[in-house]
Amino acid sequence: MTVTSTIAAPPINAINNRARASYARGYSKTLSLMLIAPLVLLMGFGFLYPVGKLLIGSLFAPEFGLEQFRRLIRSPLYLTVLLRTFEIAFAVTIASLFIGYPIAFAMAKLPRRWAALTTVCVLIPLWTSTLVRSYAWIVLLQRKGVVNELLLNLGWITQPLRLIYTEGAVIMAMTHVLLPYMILPIFAAVHAIPKELGQAARNLGAGGTSAFWRIMLPLSLPGVFAGCLMTFILALGFYVTPALVGGPRTMLMATLIGQQTTETLDWAFAGALSTVLLAATLTFVIAFRKTLSLNRGFAGVA
Amino acid sequence: MHGEPIDILQIEKTFGDKSVVSDVSLSVKAGEFLSLLGPSGSGKTTLLMMIAGFEFPNAGQICVGSRDITYLAPNRRAVGMVFQKYALFPHMTVAQNVAFPLRMRSVTTKDINRRVSEMIDLVQLTGFEGRYPQQLSGGQQQRVAVARALIAEPPVLLMDEPLSALDKKLRETMQIEIKRIQNRLGVTVVYVTHDQEEALTMSDRIAVMSEGRLVQVGSPFDLYQRPATSFVAEFVGKMNFLNGEYVEAELGKCRVRISEHATLSSDLVADGESEQYRLGGRVRVAIRPEDITITRRFEFGHTTDNVLRGTVEAVIFLGQAHIILVQIEGQGEAPVQVLVPSSIGHATFVQGETVDLVIAPSAVRLFPRGVGSVQ
Ligand SMILES: Nc1ncnc2c1ncn2[C@@H]1O[C@H](COP(=O)(O)OP(=O)(O)OP(=O)(O)O)[C@@H](O)[C@H]1O
Ligand SMILES: [Mg+2]
């Protein structure tokens, strides 16, 4: 625009500028609020309110104080359950990572037809109900289940093994259920790495293995972290699978909380347990993020 | 560092049943700067990928120096490569990126540090060692890519449109920069581009590709002055094309009728070449814009040999020159472009003016119609 037109017609210019400025910002404030309002309301009524009530309830029974929390600390049982919950969530995360990474990597690197097939295999479990998948594990692992039958028939064992209701069974079943949550973020990260980076590494003298360790793996780490975090958090609060496959001897926090609300109807204590689980989870997440943000190299990648 | 020659022998490459590179043979001398020039989809990248080892030919052989590298793994080829989008490692600093090839070759840390700082100095990036690629401008990233490709001293460097992401000004700076580094190190360069100007200014030789085949290989001057086919004539530099009728041949000269009252004679037809034209046959006449002398018309109705009459359609100012578009009488073709230096005192022309275009026989090239033509 020339100088003369600016001087001759300042209002038009001003209008133009304003239009451009609001365009750059996107939507107006009112519109944005209207757009997010349903979500905020849903979060407020469906999540924050009941959870808040549960948490606060734990502080007012029988009267205001930390009685419920003291109860929690007094009994070693509850701490054992908390500790076991973290242990199992950790084991599930590690197992998912080691099984999931190669699958995710293959999904991103295989020729298109094979990649599509693998993706379907990964996603089908996600579309099936967790309940169904957990029962599938019971069918496999129970005393007269498929695995025991097979081993007996092969003559490798003489007595049925105790497979179900063990920690191992819980870890295995949870890993199976949560695996897609590990695979998908890693797949997304590997898929987003430009093909040229791998080629450049090879061209610059790296063999296939060192190209992987030095280029592909570091660049896929954001996906690995996202997958681990998601799997870990989901595992911490997992209810159905441990309840079905684990039995009473491998009780986890979620099952314990469920018992308090449905069987003993001790809502105050359930609130205290929930508070502890939530606090532990948040602490873990924050610590995790802190560690990552301290690592400068990943700031550039993520 | 010494460049090594590249010998490409009868390379064929197909994807599925689509032939992408067919029967390409090409020798690049040690230390030579060779450009692969061609339109999009002509197979330049594919040829480069076969030299780098990311694609394998269906037939043929590729040698660097005396080694046959046709089926060698990419990391064993000692062939450097600069990718179109640079392919810098985003999680490594400039220094780490440049050091990467040396780390892969178990060079001692002391040597690595020395060579990295030498290299960074050569590409004039001192002070940027600690930055990450995304903190650099396009031109700086380009320099890092060149430094990284050259630090392990490969005898051959491949570049796939390395400047296409840069703006014109920076591109020209980087062209000079790349030539400077190449002269300094003596490395053999194969440089892919579809920018013919870039190819003309940078190359020792240019190989023109079309539809997977080599059309012509020669010095920039050769290609510009003696294009082998009308495809090359059209692709390299600016060229005017006219329809003509082959009317006469005598003593190495031949005459082409352009319109009812205009003929052009050409002495660029080589011995034996004239056999492909028959009297009365249609030919394409090619003339460079700078080979035409334009004058105002004073005498009406007068025709002489090698003068085309026309009307000025438009005058385009380019800075150092004008392009004058002239519609030739009796020709349905696009207007002829005439290049006139825009120095002071030169006559200017106005739209609608009638003009004569004088064309020397030494500037008139003939090509057969149909075969090898793009249109
Ligand atoms: N992996 C592949 N699979 C199938 N066809 C391919 C593949 N790579 C390239 N082609 C085809 O081969 C032809 C040549 O491609 P190439 O990339 O070599 O062209 P180019 O000369 O580099 O073009 P540009 O100037 O656009 O980069 C194109 O028609 C392309 O579609
Ligand atoms: Mg290309």
Side-chain angles (χ1 to χ4, degrees):
Chain A
M1 194 149 282
T2 61
V3 179
T4 27
S5 81
T6 318
I7 296 167
I12 290 176
N13 225 12
I15 290 166
N16 272 348
N17 281 347
R18 206 179 309 138
R20 208 170 302 136
S22 74
Y23 174 79
R25 211 190 303 129
Y27 301 117
S28 74
K29 227 178 211 166
T30 340
L31 187 57
S32 312
L33 278 180
M34 275 167 59
L35 284 172
I36 60 165
L39 182 67
V40 172
L41 287 180
L42 194 68
M43 280 286 282
F45 285 115
F47 178 71
L48 287 181
Y49 174 73
V51 168
K53 200 160 154 73
L54 192 64
L55 298 190
I56 289 171
S58 66
L59 293 173
F60 287 98
E63 71 254 359
F64 180 75
L66 292 175
E67 174 50 30
Q68 299 297 338
F69 293 92
R70 252 176 246 128
R71 200 176 131 200
L72 200 156
I73 294 173
R74 236 180 284 129
S75 155
L77 169 72
Y78 302 127
L79 284 181
T80 315
V81 171
L82 185 66
L83 204 65
R84 188 191 295 136
T85 306
F86 269 82
E87 263 173 30
I88 288 190
F90 187 71
V92 167
T93 308
I94 296 297
S96 301
L97 178 61
F98 278 93
I99 301 170
Y101 195 98
I103 299 176
F105 200 80
M107 265 164 69
K109 293 289 163 197
L110 281 176
R112 182 160 325 142
R113 207 143 47 93
W114 290 104
L117 193 70
T118 324
T119 312
V120 168
C121 291
V122 169
L123 287 181
I124 280 179
L126 208 56
W127 297 332
T128 348
S129 138
T130 313
L131 200 61
V132 172
R133 281 185 285 163
S134 304
Y135 274 118
W137 278 103
I138 296 182
V139 171
L140 285 176
L141 298 181
Q142 62 191 307
R143 222 181 131 68
K144 297 225 169 103
V146 179
V147 175
N148 268 328
E149 295 278 309
L150 185 73
L151 292 179
L152 283 172
N153 285 346
L154 285 173
W156 291 6
I157 52 172
T158 50
Q159 286 225 317
L161 293 175
R162 230 185 79 88
L163 296 172
I164 197 142
Y165 306 136
T166 59
E167 272 192 20
V170 174
I171 292 171
M172 198 144 61
M174 277 173 72
T175 303
H176 172 231
V177 172
L178 292 177
L179 200 53
Y181 298 95
M182 178 66 84
I183 291 179
L184 293 178
I186 298 179
F187 165 74
V190 177
H191 196 71
I193 302 173
K195 166 171 122 264
E196 290 83 36
L197 292 188
Q199 290 184 336
R202 297 302 306 278
N203 178 258
L204 295 169
T209 342
S210 37
F212 173 79
W213 286 110
R214 287 170 177 268
I215 308 300
M216 302 315 275
L217 185 64
L219 289 178
S220 63
L221 280 184
V224 170
F225 294 143
C228 286
L229 199 58
M230 197 133 84
T231 312
F232 190 75
I233 290 172
L234 284 173
L236 278 182
F238 225 53
Y239 180 72
V240 181
T241 309
L244 289 176
V245 183
R249 285 211 294 157
T250 46
M251 187 183 284
L252 300 186
M253 278 305 266
T255 332
L256 189 61
I257 295 170
Q259 256 181 16
Q260 301 300 317
T261 54
T262 56
E263 285 164 33
T264 56
L265 297 180
D266 190 346
W267 284 78
F269 190 54
L273 287 172
S274 305
T275 312
V276 170
L277 185 59
L278 188 64
T281 309
L282 285 180
T283 315
F284 177 80
V285 172
I286 290 167
F288 192 78
R289 298 212 50 139
K290 199 90 193 162
T291 331
L292 280 196
S293 66
L294 286 180
N295 195 332
R296 270 208 72 218
F298 296 118
V301 181
Chain B
M1 189 191 303
H2 285 289
E4 280 183 21
I6 309 170
D7 287 295
I8 297 169
L9 276 174
Q10 294 174 333
I11 286 289
E12 306 271 347
K13 177 70 188 175
T14 55
F15 286 115
D17 50 8
K18 186 168 180 282
S19 174
V20 172
V21 172
S22 28
D23 192 24
V24 166
S25 295
L26 180 65
S27 289
V28 189
K29 295 195 244 341
E32 190 176 30
F33 193 114
L34 180 119
S35 289
L36 279 177
L37 180 65
S40 195
S42 54
K44 308 180 296 288
T45 299
T46 309
L47 183 57
L48 214 62
M49 285 299 166
M50 288 190 285
I51 305 176
F54 299 119
E55 298 283 357
F56 298 104
N58 299 82
Q61 198 184 23
I62 302 172
C63 299
V64 167
S66 51
R67 295 170 297 140
D68 180 350
I69 61 161
T70 320
Y71 299 104
L72 209 61
N75 50 325
R76 303 189 178 280
R77 296 198 169 202
V79 166
M81 174 137 186
V82 176
F83 290 79
Q84 185 165 4
K85 293 191 188 103
Y86 316 141
L88 299 179
F89 303 132
H91 58 305
M92 299 184 188
T93 61
V94 168
Q96 287 166 338
N97 262 285
V98 175
F100 185 84
L102 299 183
R103 295 220 185 289
M104 291 299 108
R105 287 170 174 79
S106 54
V107 180
T108 62
T109 315
K110 208 173 116 232
D111 274 359
I112 290 181
N113 290 340
R114 182 181 52 79
R115 282 167 69 176
V116 166
S117 73
E118 272 174 22
M119 205 55 185
I120 284 183
D121 196 44
L122 180 68
V123 297
Q124 303 176 342
L125 273 180
T126 316
F128 290 91
E129 291 89 343
R131 295 231 197 154
Y132 286 89
Q134 59 275 16
Q135 300 169 320
L136 299 177
S137 74
Q140 291 163 342
Q141 292 183 16
Q142 167 64 38
R143 286 163 204 261
V144 178
V146 171
R148 190 182 65 173
L150 286 174
I151 194 159
E153 311 193 337
V156 168
L157 181 65
L158 311 174
M159 303 176 111
D160 192 359
E161 306 194 28
L163 304 180
S164 63
L166 306 179
D167 62 58
K168 190 166 162 49
K169 197 89 187 165
L170 190 53
R171 205 156 61 218
E172 281 164 7
T173 319
M174 286 307 297
Q175 285 171 5
I176 298 169
E177 195 76 340
I178 289 173
K179 280 300 280 186
R180 178 180 68 87
I181 293 168
Q182 190 237 347
N183 283 337
R184 178 86 170 274
L185 303 177
V187 57
T188 310
V189 174
V190 178
Y191 188 99
V192 166
T193 178
H194 55 222
D195 180 346
Q196 48 99 11
E197 247 175 80
E198 189 166 282
L200 287 177
T201 48
M202 297 181 78
S203 321
D204 297 321
R205 278 194 309 155
I206 301 175
V208 183
M209 281 188 84
S210 164
E211 291 167 3
R213 292 177 181 281
L214 278 187
V215 188
Q216 189 176 5
V217 185
S219 71
F221 188 80
D222 258 357
L223 256 66
Y224 193 83
Q225 295 299 350
R226 285 181 286 277
T229 68
S230 65
F231 172 82
V232 178
E234 179 153 351
F235 201 74
V236 178
K238 277 217 166 66
M239 189 65 97
N240 293 301
F241 284 99
L242 294 170
N243 288 323
E245 187 190 336
Y246 195 80
V247 288
E248 194 185 339
E250 51 176 44
L251 299 170
K253 263 200 182 191
C254 59
R255 190 181 295 277
V256 179
R257 183 188 303 286
I258 300 297
S259 65
E260 256 179 72
H261 21 247
T263 56
L264 290 177
S265 57
S266 165
D267 56 10
L268 279 181
V269 179
D271 291 344
E273 199 184 314
S274 57
E275 257 103 82
Q276 50 185 314
Y277 311 111
R278 50 182 180 78
L279 287 185
R282 312 280 290 155
V283 289
R284 295 186 95 202
V285 181
I287 308 149
R288 296 259 180 228
E290 66 271 25
D291 290 338
I292 304 175
T293 315
I294 181 168
T295 59
R296 283 206 177 79
R297 189 163 341 138
F298 297 112
E299 301 159 72
F300 294 90
H302 174 78
T303 57
T304 48
D305 195 20
N306 277 31
V307 174
L308 300 179
R309 298 164 31 156
T311 317
V312 173
E313 282 219 326
V315 177
I316 300 161
F317 181 56
L318 295 182
Q320 82 274 39
H322 284 95
I323 289 277
I324 300 172
L325 300 182
V326 179
Q327 186 64 54
I328 304 295
E329 283 172 20
Q331 272 275 332
E333 291 282 287
V336 165
Q337 300 188 9
V338 182
L339 191 78
V340 179
S342 63
S343 50
I344 294 179
H346 249 276
T348 53
F349 295 84
V350 290
Q351 202 181 340
E353 206 170 345
T354 50
V355 290
D356 283 341
L357 304 183
V358 184
I359 301 153
S362 58
V364 179
R365 298 168 186 83
L366 300 184
F367 296 104
R369 265 183 79 81
V371 208
S373 75
V374 223
Q375 286 168 336

